Amino acid sequence: MGANDQSLIGQSVRRKEDVRFLTGVGQYTDDVVHPHQTYAYFLRSPHAHAKIRNIDTAKAKAAPGVVGVFTGADLDGVNGLPCGWLITGTDGKPMNEPPHPVLAQGKVRHVGDQVALVVADSVLQAKDAAESIDVDYEVLPSVVSCVDALKAGAPQIHEQAPGNKCYTWALGDKGAVDAAFAKAAHVTKLDIVNNRLIPNAIEPRAAVASYSRADDSYTLYVANQHPHVERLLMTAFVLGLPESKLRVIAPDVGGGFGSKIFLYAEETALVWASKRVNRPIKWAAERSESFLTDAHGRDHVTHAELALDKDGKFLAMRVQSTVNMGAYLSTFASSVPTILYATLLAGQYTTPAIHAEVTASFTNTAPVDAYRGAGRPEATFVVERLVHQAGVDMKMAQDEIRRRNFIRTFPYATPVALTYDTGNYDATLDEAMKMADVAGFAARKAEAAKRGKLRGLGYSTYIEACGLAPSNVAGALGARAGLYEAGQVRVNPTGSVTVFTGSHSHGQGHETTFAQVVAGRLGIDIGNVEVIHGDTGRIPFGMGTYGSRSLAVGGTAIVKALDKVIAKGKKIAAHLLEAAEADIEFADGKFTVAGTDRSKAFAEISLAAYVPHNYPLGTLEPGLEETAFYDPTNFTYPAGSHICEVEIDPETGVVEVVAFTACDDFGNVINPMIVEGQVHGGVAQGIGQALLERCVYDAETGQLLTGSYMDYAMPRADDLPSFKVGTKVTPCTHNPLGAKGCGEAGAIGAPAAMMNAVHDALLASGVTRIDMPASPHRVWAALQAARA
C-alpha cells in the first residue's frame, strides 16, 4: 500500500513480513548454522521424583564424535534459574523459592528434568552417547495434583518448601465480603477446574550458543519473546557475566503464546558449555521434549461463590484457588495466579466486595507459567461461570443479569486493586447479540430438538488488564524488573526510517503495524520504514512481548520517539525557512510555515540534518535519530462480549460448536486484518481448552500420559465454525495511540462462552457440572448419570 498519510491508521495493510515467510526465506533459530557447529542432547529423567546416587559418564565421553559431557556437578559457580516476581504471603513472609538448577543437583523432580548435557559432532552421536550414561536413581514417591501435594503425608519435593507450599496469598476485604454474604438473598456456588494445558507453539524451542575467545564474549540465538530480559536474567543471576559479554538474538520465532518468555535451563547450559568446548552448540527440542519441558499453563482448582440481592444485583464474591507451580518456579510463575488473576475478578461488574485466596503448591510436574492470557482466562472463567449459573438460579436471562451489574461510570476503581479508565460494555453486548442472532436462537433450538440434538447458547462478557506495566504498580506488587518499553527512530539522510523496538514479534505483525504508525505519523511511504527487533546488539533495552503490550507500550515508545524527531525537524525547518520555530507546522510529510505555502518536505529536512555544511544549522547537532522509553501510568483494559452456540448429540456426547461471535473493544485499531487474525487464533485456542485439550499425568508414577499428539487433542479446522468478529471503540485514555491490546482476548473470553453454552444445552437434561474439556466421553457420562 502506497498511502503516505495518517489514513494508514485503521487500514488492513498486508503484512510486510509475510513475503519472507511465504517464500521460505525466514530465519528461525534452527536455521542458524555456524562453522564447526556441534549439537547438544539432554539426558532427561525418566522418573518424576528420585534421588541421584551416581552418574557415570565415562562411556559417553569416549563415544565417537563426543566433545563434552556435563552434569550438575560440573556447573561450579552457576546459579539456579531465577523467578522474576516475589509474592508475599498472608503470613507476611516471602514465598518459598527453592533452587531451580540448570542441570539436576542430587535429585530430579519431574519427568524430563535435565540430568546431563552431551555435546557431539552430530545429533545422532550425542543421542547415542547419552544412552551410555549410567544414572543410579533411588526412585521416590511422587505427587502431581496441586491439591494432593498439600495434604499431610504427601511426598516432600523441596526441603525449602515445607508441605510443598510456595505461598498462600490473598487480595480484597474479607470482612466486607463476609458481611455481604450474610445479608444475601441468594448465593451461587461452584467448584471449578481450569485444566492444565501444553502450549504447542508450531516452532519448538531452540538455541544456538557460541563463544569468542577474542573478546571473551558469547552469542546466543534463541526462540524467545524478550531477548533483553533473557540476557539480563542469564548473565546477572545465573552465569555471573557482565551483560555486555552476551549478545542475545531472537530471530524469526514461530509462535510463543507465553511459553517462550521464560529463561530455560537448556539455552543457559548451552551458553556455559560453549566456552568449555570452544565451539558453537545447537539444540532444537523434539516435540516430545516440548511436551515434557515447555512451561505448561493453567491448572487451577477453585471454589467460588457469588452473593446476590433479590433483584440479581451482585453483592460480593469469594474465591479460593489452589494452583500448581510444577516442580520449580518458572520466570513469572508466581505472578500468574495472583497478580494477573485475582485483580481481574471484578470482570465488567460493579461487585462491591471481593476476596480471593490463592494457595500455590509444588508438584512433580513440569513448571507452570504464563500461557496466552496468563491469569486473565482463569479469572474470566470463574467470573463468567458464576454469572451464568446465577442467572440460571434466579431465572434471569443471561444478558439481563449482566446488564443489571455492568459498570457504566468511568474511571472505576474495583475492589481488587485496579482502576478501569474507560469502556462501554452495553455496546459490545448489544452488537454481539445482534451478530449472533440471539433473537432467532429459540427457533434454532427447537429445530435441533426435532433432530434429537441439544442446543445451547453461552455468554462471556470479559475484561482483561493488558499493556503490562506500569513499573511502579508492578514493583509494588512484587515485580523484580521494570515493565517499560523502548523505541528508537533513526531517520536516514534520504528520509527512509529504521525503527528499533524492544518489543518482539513472533507472529503479531509488528513489522507492519509499527511501520503503519511511523509512516502515518511522518507522512512517508510504508515501504520506507524498516522495523528491527530481537537483537540485544542492535535494539535499546526493552522488556519484550507478552500481555498484549506491544502496541500500547512498545508502540507508544515509538510515537514518543517520533515526537522528538518531529520536534527537531521543526527546528531545522525553521532555520531553513527563516521562520520562528513556533510558526512551523508538520502534517502530511511537510514542515510548513503557518499561514503560508512555504514548506519543506520531510526528506529535505532529513538530508539537511546530515549535511550541515550545505544547510547550516547553527547550534543543532547533526543527525536525526531519537530514542524514547515509555512507562504507562495504568494498564489498558480491553473488554468484549463473546457468544457461543453449540449443538450436542446426546447419544454420543459429541459437542459441535455451530457458531461463535466476538465483539471486542480494543481501543483504536491500527490494522483491522491483523486484529481479526489475532482474535481468530485466540478463540481457536480458547475453544481448544474448553473442548479438547487436557494435560494429564499419571497419579501414581508421575508420567506424562498426554505426551504426544496421539493423546493431547489439539483443535483442528473441522472443530471450529466460521467466526463472526466485530469491534466497538472506546479509546484508551492514557496512551497517544488510544490502543488497548488484542492478542489474548480470544483465549480469555472463549472458554467461558463455550462452557456456558454446553451447560445451557444440558440444563434440561439435569446435568449440573461439566469440567473442561467437554469431551464426548465426559458429556455422555454426565448425561447417563443424570438419566440414572
Side-chain angles (χ1 to χ4, degrees):
M1 184 173 180
N4 61 355
D5 57 27
Q6 198 69 22
S7 66
L8 273 174
I9 306 301
Q11 298 300 309
S12 293
V13 177
R14 288 187 178 182
R15 290 177 17 136
K16 299 174 66 177
E17 48 270 73
D18 284 348
V19 174
R20 70 175 183 274
F21 297 143
L22 294 173
T23 56
V25 295
Q27 187 185 54
Y28 297 88
T29 299
D30 198 32
D31 294 323
V32 175
V33 178
H34 293 307
H36 310 295
Q37 180 173 282
T38 61
Y39 296 84
Y41 182 78
F42 287 90
L43 179 69
R44 300 183 183 278
S45 170
H47 306 294
H49 197 198
K51 290 181 181 178
I52 299 175
R53 290 174 173 150
N54 185 59
I55 305 176
D56 185 350
T57 62
K59 290 182 180 179
K61 289 178 178 178
V66 171
V67 297
V69 179
F70 307 101
T71 68
D74 298 308
L75 271 63
D76 187 40
V78 175
N79 297 317
L81 305 180
C83 179
W85 206 293
L86 174 66
I87 295 298
T88 301
T90 53
D91 58 2
K93 297 178 181 179
M95 65 188 184
N96 292 320
E97 196 170 355
H100 184 177
V102 173
L103 294 175
Q105 302 272 0
K107 197 177 187 184
V108 290
R109 294 178 173 86
H110 68 94
V111 175
D113 214 348
Q114 296 81 220
V115 175
L117 165 63
V118 180
V119 182
D121 290 329
S122 73
V123 174
L124 290 178
Q125 287 175 323
K127 283 186 177 182
D128 288 344
E131 289 180 2
S132 67
I133 297 175
D134 183 16
V135 184
D136 184 9
Y137 292 105
E138 178 188 338
V139 179
L140 303 171
S142 60
V143 60
V144 298
S145 160
C146 59
V147 174
D148 292 346
L150 296 169
K151 293 178 179 177
Q156 182 67 46
I157 298 170
H158 296 279
E159 293 179 4
Q160 299 86 348
N164 297 320
K165 186 161 77 170
C166 181
Y167 55 76
T168 294
W169 174 91
L171 180 67
D173 187 336
K174 187 176 186 299
V177 168
D178 291 344
F181 269 84
K183 65 179 184 181
H186 174 77
V187 174
T188 290
K189 301 179 181 181
L190 286 177
D191 291 304
I192 295 169
V193 174
N194 205 293
N195 43 321
R196 188 182 184 112
L197 302 176
I198 302 175
N200 282 295
I202 194 169
E203 177 206 21
R205 288 190 293 118
V208 182
S210 59
Y211 171 72
S212 171
R213 284 195 295 181
D215 59 358
D216 192 31
S217 69
Y218 303 79
T219 300
L220 172 67
Y221 285 83
V222 62
N224 183 268
Q225 297 177 217
H226 57 177
H228 268 295
V229 178
E230 171 98 353
R231 181 177 75 162
L232 173 64
L233 295 176
M234 188 183 294
T235 56
F237 294 95
V238 185
L239 299 181
L241 298 171
E243 281 182 83
S244 60
K245 292 299 182 181
L246 175 62
R247 179 183 181 185
V248 176
I249 302 170
D252 291 326
V253 175
F257 314 120
S259 68
K260 292 174 182 171
I261 299 173
F262 322 120
L263 177 64
Y264 285 96
E266 290 88 353
E267 62 251 29
T268 308
L270 257 63
V271 170
W272 177 87
S274 66
K275 182 175 182 177
R276 274 70 194 170
V277 302
N278 196 31
R279 288 171 64 184
I281 310 174
K282 175 187 283 188
W283 170 77
E286 297 178 354
R287 186 58 69 177
S288 59
E289 287 182 286
S290 297
F291 273 96
L292 285 171
T293 65
D294 285 4
H296 293 176
R298 317 293 192 244
D299 205 347
H300 289 202
V301 176
T302 296
H303 178 75
E305 301 180 0
L306 180 65
L308 302 92
D309 70 12
K310 62 181 179 61
D311 298 316
K313 285 285 288 180
F314 303 162
L315 301 177
M317 180 189 299
R318 61 163 67 110
V319 176
Q320 293 176 309
S321 293
T322 304
V323 302
N324 202 331
M325 293 287 98
Y328 306 101
L329 282 175
S330 180
T331 308
F332 294 113
S334 55
S335 68
V336 174
T338 50
I339 307 307
L340 298 178
Y341 167 65
T343 56
L344 272 299
L345 288 172
Q348 298 185 3
Y349 311 112
T350 57
T351 312
I354 299 172
H355 183 263
E357 183 178 272
V358 179
T359 298
S361 63
F362 293 105
T363 64
N364 295 115
T365 64
V368 180
D369 209 316
Y371 173 67
R372 197 170 191 170
R376 282 73 53 86
E378 297 92 313
T380 295
F381 195 76
V382 169
V383 173
E384 289 303 303
R385 284 291 297 119
L386 275 175
V387 173
H388 173 92
Q389 190 59 44
V392 172
D393 293 347
M394 300 194 74
K395 297 180 171 56
M396 293 180 63
Q398 290 297 326
D399 62 317
E400 177 59 25
I401 193 169
R402 286 167 168 79
R403 293 186 199 279
R404 288 195 187 188
N405 292 280
F406 273 162
I407 298 164
R408 294 186 174 88
T409 302
F410 296 90
Y412 178 83
T414 75
V416 279
L418 299 181
T419 298
Y420 304 162
D421 62 328
T422 186
N424 187 341
Y425 310 140
D426 288 287
T428 53
L429 180 56
D430 288 344
E431 183 66 15
M433 292 179 68
K434 180 180 176 181
M435 293 165 60
D437 186 22
V438 170
F441 173 71
R444 297 193 296 276
K445 184 180 178 74
E447 187 277 330
K450 292 178 182 178
R451 293 183 283 107
K453 303 294 177 68
L454 308 174
R455 278 242 174 178
L457 196 69
Y459 292 71
S460 176
T461 47
Y462 76 92
I463 192 166
E464 51 173 328
C466 291
L468 287 189
S471 296
N472 61 334
V473 174
L477 296 173
R480 288 166 164 165
L483 294 178
Y484 50 82
E485 197 47 84
Q488 183 179 11
V489 175
R490 178 182 299 163
V491 182
N492 302 308
T494 57
S496 64
V497 175
T498 305
V499 177
F500 301 88
T501 174
S503 297
H504 184 273
S505 180
H506 40 279
Q508 293 88 346
H510 294 170
E511 293 172 40
T512 303
T513 50
F514 286 170
Q516 284 180 259
V517 170
V518 173
R521 185 79 173 92
L522 297 181
I524 63 176
D525 192 284
I526 193 172
N528 289 334
V529 181
E530 180 186 18
V531 177
I532 304 295
H533 60 90
D535 184 347
T536 61
R538 301 184 67 186
I539 62 173
F541 190 97
M543 301 306 294
T545 294
Y546 46 88
S548 301
R549 72 192 299 271
S550 295
L551 191 62
V553 187
T556 297
I558 292 170
V559 168
K560 289 186 172 295
L562 287 171
D563 289 342
K564 294 181 180 181
V565 165
I566 292 169
K568 184 172 181 180
K570 287 182 176 180
K571 294 179 186 293
I572 298 171
H575 187 83
L576 298 182
L577 293 168
E578 298 180 336
E581 182 185 338
D583 292 335
I584 301 296
E585 298 174 343
F586 180 73
D588 300 326
K590 292 182 179 180
F591 293 90
T592 305
V593 179
T596 75
D597 59 358
R598 297 168 56 220
S599 65
K600 291 286 184 181
F602 181 75
E604 293 180 272
I605 298 301
S606 65
L607 184 61
Y610 285 94
V611 193
H613 59 280
N614 287 342
Y615 305 92
L617 303 180
T619 60
L620 281 178
E621 294 180 356
L624 195 53
E625 178 177 327
E626 298 289 350
T627 299
F629 288 81
Y630 176 62
D631 196 344
T633 57
N634 195 0
F635 298 96
T636 64
Y637 298 99
S641 297
H642 290 189
I643 300 176
C644 181
E645 189 168 335
V646 302
E647 189 171 279
I648 298 176
D649 184 342
E651 299 305 314
T652 64
V654 171
V655 178
E656 178 187 0
V657 183
V658 295
F660 197 98
T661 301
C663 183
D664 303 288
D665 177 3
F666 300 133
N668 292 335
V669 172
I670 303 299
N671 189 311
M673 178 184 67
I674 289 177
V675 166
E676 185 171 338
Q678 288 289 310
V679 174
H680 280 209
V683 169
Q685 284 182 277
I687 291 176
Q689 175 176 12
L691 188 63
L692 297 159
E693 298 181 53
R694 182 184 176 216
C695 172
V696 181
Y697 284 90
D698 183 84
E700 296 297 322
T701 66
Q703 295 293 326
L704 180 64
L705 300 181
T706 52
S708 77
Y709 292 130
M710 296 296 290
D711 305 295
Y712 188 88
M714 294 282 284
R716 302 180 302 182
D718 60 356
D719 294 312
L720 307 170
S722 180
F723 305 132
K724 295 180 180 178
V725 176
T727 57
K728 292 290 183 180
V729 177
T730 57
C732 175
T733 60
H734 54 80
N735 70 59
L737 291 168
K740 297 181 180 180
C742 69
E744 298 166 297
I748 292 170
M754 164 89 189
M755 293 308 294
N756 284 339
V758 169
H759 282 88
D760 183 55
L762 297 175
L763 180 64
S765 302
V767 175
T768 57
R769 178 179 176 181
I770 293 283
D771 287 326
M772 295 188 290
S775 64
H777 179 265
R778 265 189 181 168
V779 174
W780 180 86
L783 283 165
Q784 299 309 304
R787 288 170 182 168

